[in-house]
Amino acid sequence: MSQSSHPALEIRDLSVEFRASANRGLFEKPATFKALSGISLDIRQGEVMGLIGESGSGKTTLGKAIVGLTETSTGSICIKGQHVDPARAAGRRALARLVQMVFQDPYASLHPRKIIGQTLSEPFTIQGTASRADLRSRVRSLLQRVGLSPEHAARYPQHFSGGQRQRIAIARAIANEPPVIIADEPVSALDVSVQAQILNLLEDLRKEQNMAMLFISHDLSVVRHLCQRIAVMYLGRIVEIGAAKEMTAAPAHPYTTALLSAAPRVKARNRVQAAPIVLSGDVPSHAAIPSGCPFHTRCWLYEQKGCPARCRTEMPRLETLPGGRQAACFFPEEAATPARSPAAACV
Amino acid sequence: MGYSYQQQIGLPSPQRRAVAGKDLAPAMPLLDVTDLTVSLTAGGRTAAIVEQLSLRLERGKCLGIVGESGSGKSTAAMAIMGLLTDGPLQVSGQILFDGANLAQMRPAEFRKLRGTGIAMIFQDPMSSLNPVMRIGDQIVECLQAHRRLTKSSARGKAAQALARVGMPDPEGMMHRYPHQLSGGQRQRVMIAMAIVFEPKLLIADEPTTALDLTIQAQILQLLKKLSRELNMALVLITHDLGVVAGMSDEVIVLYSGRDVERGPTQEVLENPQHPYTRGLLGAHPSMDGECGRLAPIAGSPPAIWQRPSGCAFRDRCPAAIDDCATVKPQHVAMPQQAHHVACLLHATPPQAKETA
């Protein structure tokens, strides 16, 4: 891969707006709220980008917008330098060649009345990438690639365990070797002992096929393990983005610090000794995003700094910090070290 | 064998044993479960969902029960709560709560105990709350079911309970419906309802699994605080070893309905002895240190009708020996106090035992 080549996935200034229909008068204009605002993101070939944030932060909406399952308001999406427009019906089939999605729940994402062979033939027949004669052998080799045996093609989804179903869902996504895969919480419905199998499989496929992956998860340890870079979302915005190891060692946004501190740790030596940072309250509603920095209503750093007015009035932009990391905070240098719990420095 | 199964498992803590040794009346544990077995008979076959589970829990302590889906952890909790008596499952074993044998308690008596003595909260607060009833009315209903209270005093108590679980604006919350609350708030309502009579024991079945990390941290902190304030024992059922690590004093690891390892939480997590516990710890990526390849446990947990003979884990175990297929491993005490493991690798070979 040469440096001059385009990133596999290039998102510029993407916004998604939803209309709220509830609680309005007959002649009132429907309120709109921004589920995503101004998302810009590059994923290189062969790179896994982790996307983390609480529910309602817009992780899944971003994934859906990329594969064309949600209408976008503004912004552009380019895959391998090619501008894609999911809104055009004619573009949908072409888009399916470029990007595929793996969903969270493998019990819901496979057709219960189709045998696995049928499910896995569809990508080839729809895209016309395999002749009828080849179809069987393509499905067989696909099953083998994800660690299942070719005989499984004749069975129904109900015959498989959760981990096996997720392998089938992954097989379907990679059938036509798309350059980009969106994996939306692909392991969170699985038992711990099975999770690792799927994570290893994704890692192998990434290496073999050199594909780019957007890996959506709420599990920080999984994201840190699998991803080269991580983007942290809060209320529809990216608040921090950077290399996985560096970010988890020293976050540059107080929200990232709070997420890291909330992650349960098994080993005592890795656990934060003092009280972890517990954010108060819930994520605010998208319909009433706080002024200034959207995080200031729950921010521990804002409190620690004596509630600077700037946080309430001015929206921090995603700025590049020394080292190439980007964070949307006015005080990125202080975000890694909460004063009230000194032991948190080991986060 | 020179000693009974009971003696091998669930040994009291060293301090208590010392007291017992001096022939003083040992403090009775709040919850003392011996050989709890829950089995299902269908089509002429019988399978145990929970097999010979024994546990002891003191007042104010927290016991973690860890296991994957299908390991029987929720079934064990339901059995302790007496919720399985009318179903198709057979429950056997002794359950002593505060000296009373729950297994022999009449349904009417048990109903009085539930809520006031033992309370339970579930994973999904949305399906545990009545969607068409205001929060306040639901708590009042619970209060009036157990105590003769006027509506207004019940409402006062309900508001107090909501305030106790850290709900902002408890009075206002009383008028809301469950769908108007966030997941974390709903779980707080469930907890408020559970602690309204200040029970001695709270069983929390995956209380934070449906919640975000940041909200999970809030709820766990709340449970810890309440357990301390009310001197309430807590049984915390979870699949997440990390949750147990931060919360419980002791932990039991369940696999296929059997307790494979138990002991003080720190000891079990830092020094796991059962191949399954080791596998679980190895399969989960760490938040610190290097990111090598993960070591998954091969295969997946067996369905209840397909459990292998002998040790249920042997099909997936990297260290299985021939005997694992025939011998059901019994609990063996590790040199470290109160750490027990049910694995043949740690059992003394039969010959050695006979000579001893």
Side-chain angles (χ1 to χ4, degrees):
Chain A
M1 189 177 59
S2 70
Q3 279 302 88
S4 62
S5 72
H6 291 284
L9 176 69
E10 212 175 343
I11 300 172
R12 285 289 166 274
D13 210 25
L14 187 76
S15 296
V16 170
E17 278 179 14
F18 290 124
R19 270 183 189 188
S21 56
N23 299 331
R24 77 179 161 100
L26 187 58
F27 301 106
E28 243 170 275
K29 262 181 78 177
T32 58
F33 63 86
K34 284 195 158 182
L36 292 179
S37 29
I39 303 284
S40 296
L41 197 68
D42 285 344
I43 308 181
R44 290 184 291 271
Q45 238 181 321
E47 182 183 48
V48 185
M49 167 78 82
L51 192 58
I52 59 171
E54 287 167 280
S55 20
S57 61
K59 311 186 292 282
T60 298
T61 307
L62 178 56
K64 283 185 171 173
I66 297 167
V67 294
L69 292 173
T70 292
E71 227 173 280
T72 60
S73 310
T74 58
S76 69
I77 301 168
C78 290
I79 295 176
K80 293 205 126 180
Q82 208 175 323
H83 182 78
V84 294
D85 185 4
R88 286 188 309 126
R92 293 198 73 97
R93 189 173 302 176
L95 181 64
R97 284 290 288 277
L98 295 173
V99 55
Q100 280 291 328
M101 192 153 178
V102 178
F103 296 91
Q104 173 172 2
D105 183 1
Y107 291 84
S109 66
L110 297 175
H111 198 303
R113 305 281 294 272
K114 282 184 181 167
I115 57 167
I116 300 312
Q118 276 176 297
T119 298
L120 293 184
S121 310
E122 272 184 353
F124 299 119
T125 47
I126 289 170
Q127 298 290 347
T129 43
S131 64
R132 278 190 93 83
D134 282 350
L135 212 49
R136 269 183 99 87
S137 67
R138 292 292 290 273
V139 168
R140 291 167 76 90
S141 73
L142 198 51
L143 281 168
Q144 277 167 334
R145 274 242 299 284
V146 296
L148 294 171
S149 87
E151 295 86 72
H152 286 141
R155 298 194 195 161
Y156 287 95
Q158 69 199 48
H159 296 129
F160 295 93
S161 68
Q164 287 173 317
R165 285 181 207 221
Q166 202 57 291
R167 286 176 194 268
I168 296 162
I170 291 168
R172 176 176 59 186
I174 61 165
N176 286 311
E177 310 198 347
V180 178
I181 293 274
I182 312 290
D184 189 0
E185 304 256 14
V187 297
S188 44
L190 305 177
D191 275 321
V192 188
S193 72
V194 181
Q195 264 189 19
Q197 299 170 5
I198 300 297
L199 291 175
N200 283 347
L201 172 67
L202 288 172
E203 173 73 10
D204 292 344
L205 291 172
R206 177 188 72 85
K207 281 187 192 141
E208 279 167 29
Q209 299 196 352
N210 204 25
M211 61 188 182
M213 197 189 316
L214 183 67
F215 185 88
I216 302 170
S217 178
H218 65 275
D219 189 332
L220 277 159
S221 54
V222 166
V223 167
R224 181 180 179 276
H225 176 84
L226 188 73
C227 305
Q228 286 80 51
R229 284 195 300 153
I230 301 178
V232 184
M233 288 188 74
Y234 188 75
L235 277 177
R237 288 189 167 77
I238 291 178
V239 296
E240 183 172 2
I241 184 164
K245 302 289 173 309
E246 282 134 52
M247 188 193 289
T248 48
H253 194 284
Y255 181 57
T256 317
T257 316
L259 281 181
L260 285 166
S261 151
R265 284 166 167 72
V266 173
K267 302 279 183 197
R269 60 179 175 277
N270 302 337
R271 218 172 304 140
V272 182
Q273 290 305 309
I277 306 163
V278 175
L279 293 180
S280 56
D282 295 298
V283 183
S285 154
H286 281 269
I289 291 179
S291 64
C293 172
F295 184 57
H296 86 262
T297 51
R298 299 172 79 201
C299 183
W300 54 270
L301 186 58
Y302 170 72
E303 278 170 25
Q304 192 174 300
K305 301 218 42 118
C307 310
R310 198 180 175 196
C311 295
R312 289 192 304 272
T313 53
E314 200 182 324
M315 164 89 77
R317 302 171 62 86
L318 205 54
E319 304 279 2
T320 307
L321 307 170
R325 204 154 7 132
Q326 290 179 294
C329 179
F330 296 123
F331 313 102
E333 318 78 41
E334 291 162 71
T337 47
R340 65 197 173 101
S341 55
C346 70
V347 168
Chain B
M1 268 199 286
Y3 45 96
S4 72
Y5 181 66
Q6 261 102 338
Q7 280 170 311
Q8 288 180 48
I9 52 168
L11 286 169
S13 63
Q15 304 93 296
R16 282 206 37 236
R17 212 184 307 165
V19 172
K22 280 182 208 153
D23 242 344
L24 295 170
M28 200 176 11
L30 179 69
L31 181 68
D32 190 347
V33 176
T34 312
D35 282 349
L36 177 68
T37 299
V38 182
S39 49
L40 174 67
T41 306
R45 293 182 299 173
T46 300
I49 299 169
V50 177
E51 217 176 327
Q52 294 194 311
L53 178 69
S54 295
L55 56 91
R56 271 157 185 258
L57 184 58
E58 313 279 337
R59 270 164 228 269
K61 294 278 189 216
C62 177
L63 170 74
I65 301 183
V66 184
E68 293 177 278
S69 35
S71 61
K73 50 194 196 305
S74 296
T75 309
M78 304 268 274
I80 293 171
M81 284 294 280
L83 296 174
L84 300 177
T85 43
D86 295 328
L89 303 174
Q90 294 99 49
V91 182
S92 69
Q94 193 186 43
I95 305 166
L96 291 176
F97 174 75
D98 216 5
N101 191 352
L102 298 189
Q104 276 151 24
M105 204 174 253
R106 288 204 316 279
E109 263 180 288
F110 211 141
R111 205 173 307 131
K112 273 187 203 154
L113 184 69
R114 258 182 241 125
T116 54
I118 315 180
M120 187 163 178
I121 52 174
F122 300 90
Q123 173 174 349
D124 180 6
M126 194 60 202
S127 56
S128 317
L129 291 168
N130 185 342
V132 293
M133 205 172 165
R134 294 178 200 274
I135 298 298
D137 295 341
Q138 299 195 41
I139 305 177
V140 166
E141 186 184 45
C142 163
L143 277 159
Q144 289 185 323
H146 289 284
R147 299 265 191 284
R148 282 182 173 278
L149 289 169
T150 61
K151 186 104 187 180
S152 64
S153 72
R155 289 194 77 83
K157 274 196 186 315
Q160 271 171 23
L162 285 174
R164 184 163 221 169
V165 297
M167 205 65 145
D169 182 25
E171 297 288 344
M173 276 298 166
M174 305 260 293
H175 296 282
R176 304 247 195 134
Y177 288 97
H179 74 266
Q180 294 172 305
L181 310 184
S182 68
Q185 287 175 327
R186 280 182 215 138
Q187 199 57 286
R188 279 179 201 268
V189 170
M190 288 307 298
I191 295 172
M193 213 181 274
I195 58 138
V196 77
F197 291 112
E198 310 198 344
K200 292 174 186 150
L201 172 66
L202 179 67
I203 301 179
D205 188 357
E206 303 261 13
T208 58
T209 307
L211 305 175
D212 275 314
L213 275 186
T214 52
I215 311 298
Q216 165 169 292
Q218 293 174 5
I219 297 293
L220 292 178
Q221 204 182 45
L222 172 67
L223 286 174
K224 230 178 196 169
K225 176 184 137 235
L226 290 171
S227 159
R228 204 172 41 232
E229 283 175 6
L230 305 173
N231 196 25
M232 176 176 74
L234 191 62
V235 174
L236 183 68
I237 296 171
T238 175
H239 66 279
D240 190 337
L241 287 165
V243 167
V244 159
M247 289 287 290
S248 71
D249 304 294
E250 291 204 14
V251 64
I252 293 180
V253 182
L254 280 187
Y255 185 79
S256 277
R258 284 183 66 98
D259 157 13
V260 294
E261 185 161 6
R262 66 163 62 210
T265 308
Q266 220 50 62
E267 169 64 24
V268 170
L269 296 181
E270 298 287 340
N271 192 15
Q273 295 299 321
H274 197 281
Y276 175 62
T277 318
R278 286 186 183 164
L280 275 186
L281 287 164
H284 203 264
S286 139
M287 267 315 288
D288 317 78
E290 274 314 295
C291 293
R293 199 171 166 76
L294 294 174
I297 304 176
S300 45
I304 99 161
W305 299 110
Q306 273 116 46
R307 283 180 189 162
S309 62
C311 173
F313 187 58
R314 70 178 161 89
D315 286 353
R316 307 176 70 192
C317 183
I321 50 175
D322 291 346
D323 277 355
C324 295
T326 51
V327 183
K328 236 180 203 178
Q330 300 295 318
H331 275 265
V332 178
M334 300 308 292
Q336 293 76 16
Q337 286 300 344
H339 188 173
H340 292 75
V341 58
C343 178
L344 292 185
L345 297 176
H346 296 283
T348 358
Q351 316 88 295
K353 217 180 260 174
E354 266 152 40
T355 51

